[in-house]
Amino acid sequence: MEQVKLTNRQARHFILLKQGLVGNYKFIKEQGVCDYIKQAGCIQFDPIDVCGKNAELVLQSRVDGFSKEMLHKLLYIDRKFIDYFDKNMSIFSLEDWKYFSRQRAKHEKNGRSREQVNNVMDKIKEIIKAKGFVSSKDLSFKEQVDWYWSPATLSRAALETLYFQGDLILNHKKGTIKYYSLAHEYIPEEILNAKDPNLTDEEHWKWRILRRIGAVGLLWNKSSDAWLGIDGLKSSNRNEIFQELLAEKKIIEVIIENISDAFYCLSEDKDIIDLVLDTDEFQKRVEFIAPLDNMIWDRRLIKDIFNFEYKWEIYTPIAERKYGYYILPVLYGDTFIGRIEVINDKKLKQLVVKNFWFEDNIIKDDVFEDKIQDCLNRFANFNNCQNIRIDCEISSSSHRS
């Protein structure tokens, strides 16, 4: 069994190099979006848009020249990616469609309000075939039925059921409204009808575990949000699979100083291990990190390796919030230096920096102000803002534009 020992700083460098968050940008424009999503397996989707949606925020911190329009084009025009469930609702490569056939098959057999839904499925498919795409508001099945999160119209329940089982895909989104089309009209037949390469649940779990390790960079064999969405995977299954992956030399055990638990990386990332063992310094960047960023899927891991505790407080009652509704971690070099509250004021086309909280004992070097200003400028451009308003102190002489 191959084992590598890293200092804490080397472990941080490994994760950040894998993620493309330190040094020169390794993901560039459209091809960079494709390369990153292929490496990560998936990026998590969330519809809330305060200063960009989660998937967009993940990409803007890594992909040089990224724009929101770029992701829309790759998703809904070029059809390189698809929206579906991986780690919760996610975006992943269309090529991976075949790996999720067991999820679609489960939805085809099960589901709430199934009798009512089945009664209207064929009618809805006929409507979509005639119109090209529809949202739930375009359909007339308004009776309320039992649904997963709360009662819903039959129109919505039927569309989502057809989507869950793979008969429909998202044609596009307009704000939070989803428009559905027939899957076979957009997914090539060789992908749509491809057989699942994984014949058993065990093979599927192994594929998913490798995928999640690659998504984060380093993972340990512990209960974690990084495993969310892998149906049926229990700790006993996970233990066996980690041992098999080690025996097959598909993963490498990584020991980090002063942390008792072992971590694991993909064997294909040995070149990054070699680089961090050989190199002490990497070019620093300031980046704002998405709340559901792949890198921070395991919050306990980030606490142990980066000494940074982060909680997304969006679902925390207002009175119990320590920071705020939509707060982004701020990365500078290999350190989380603080948190920022940024709002895209679309009416004024203005990026508003409401709050900035530094972590304790952060020392700002001579180039920090220039780096943070560069990041703010890029972030304003990403949000199509024409100017920046800073309502808080970021440094002793905050730049304003």
Side-chain angles (χ1 to χ4, degrees), residues 240-352:
E240 290 177 10
I241 289 169
F242 266 89
Q243 292 306 310
E244 290 174 14
L245 291 172
L246 283 167
E248 294 165 8
K249 298 186 177 179
K250 291 183 178 177
I251 58 174
I252 298 170
E253 186 177 72
V254 178
I255 304 300
I256 302 174
E257 64 173 349
N258 301 322
I259 301 178
S260 58
D261 296 286
F263 296 81
Y264 302 89
C265 71
L266 300 180
S267 295
E268 63 195 53
D269 290 331
K270 182 65 164 58
D271 59 333
I272 305 178
I273 293 281
D274 293 338
L275 181 59
V276 301
L277 289 171
D278 246 4
T279 312
D280 291 330
E281 296 287 342
F282 296 93
Q283 180 184 332
K284 290 182 176 182
R285 295 177 0 220
V286 172
E287 299 291 356
F288 303 151
I289 304 301
L292 300 172
D293 194 284
N294 299 51
M295 177 184 168
I296 58 174
W297 280 354
D298 189 320
R299 305 289 166 83
R300 287 181 297 171
L301 181 152
I302 292 299
K303 182 178 183 295
D304 279 9
I305 297 179
F306 287 85
N307 192 30
F308 181 72
E309 288 191 72
Y310 176 70
K311 178 184 178 182
W312 195 29
E313 296 183 316
I314 198 164
Y315 300 115
T316 302
I318 294 173
E320 298 174 22
R321 288 177 188 156
K322 187 175 180 181
Y323 297 101
Y325 172 74
Y326 206 90
I327 308 300
L328 307 181
V330 180
L331 186 70
Y332 181 38
D334 61 11
T335 304
F336 283 101
I337 61 163
R339 300 147 215 267
I340 192 168
E341 183 176 14
V342 196
I343 294 172
N344 175 11
D345 187 328
K346 294 178 183 177
K347 274 190 177 179
L348 296 178
K349 293 189 175 180
Q350 185 175 68
L351 189 75
V352 182

Side-chain angles (χ1 to χ4, degrees), residues 63-81:
V63 179
D64 191 21
F66 174 75
S67 68
K68 298 174 184 180
E69 296 75 20
M70 192 178 293
L71 181 59
H72 182 275
K73 175 178 178 288
L74 290 166
L75 258 171
Y76 303 123
I77 299 173
D78 298 346
R79 301 284 167 182
K80 299 276 189 183
F81 308 128

Side-chain angles (χ1 to χ4, degrees), residues 48-176:
I48 295 166
D49 188 352
V50 174
C51 52
K53 298 184 181 75
N54 184 77
E56 297 166 342
L57 292 168
V58 169
L59 294 168
Q60 69 80 31
S61 63
R62 293 162 168 81
V63 179
D64 191 21
F66 174 75
S67 68
K68 298 174 184 180
E69 296 75 20
M70 192 178 293
L71 181 59
H72 182 275
K73 175 178 178 288
L74 290 166
L75 258 171
Y76 303 123
I77 299 173
D78 298 346
R79 301 284 167 182
K80 299 276 189 183
F81 308 128
I82 194 162
D83 312 77
Y84 196 69
F85 297 98
D86 187 344
K87 185 184 180 288
N88 299 332
M89 178 55 71
S90 297
I91 294 167
F92 57 78
S93 296
L94 184 62
E95 296 169 353
D96 290 342
W97 176 258
K98 58 183 176 288
Y99 289 99
F100 296 91
S101 61
R102 65 190 60 234
Q103 280 94 316
R104 297 192 295 273
K106 284 180 183 177
H107 284 295
E108 196 167 356
K109 291 178 182 177
N110 304 303
R112 297 193 180 182
S113 301
R114 197 72 209 202
E115 185 177 347
Q116 297 103 307
V117 166
N118 286 347
N119 286 337
V120 299
M121 275 186 175
D122 289 339
K123 294 176 186 175
I124 288 176
K125 288 180 184 179
E126 288 173 10
I127 293 169
I128 295 175
K129 186 175 181 180
K131 291 190 173 185
F133 56 81
V134 300
S135 74
S136 61
K137 292 182 178 180
D138 300 321
L139 301 175
S140 58
F141 308 106
K142 302 303 182 186
E143 68 176 277
Q144 293 286 306
V145 297
D146 178 44
W147 200 231
Y148 292 98
W149 302 277
S150 61
T153 64
L154 180 55
S155 295
R156 178 188 167 190
L159 283 172
E160 290 188 358
T161 298
L162 287 164
Y163 170 67
F164 296 163
Q165 67 188 39
D167 293 308
L168 303 183
I169 62 166
L170 289 182
N171 181 282
H172 66 283
K173 297 172 185 169
K174 192 172 182 180
T176 58

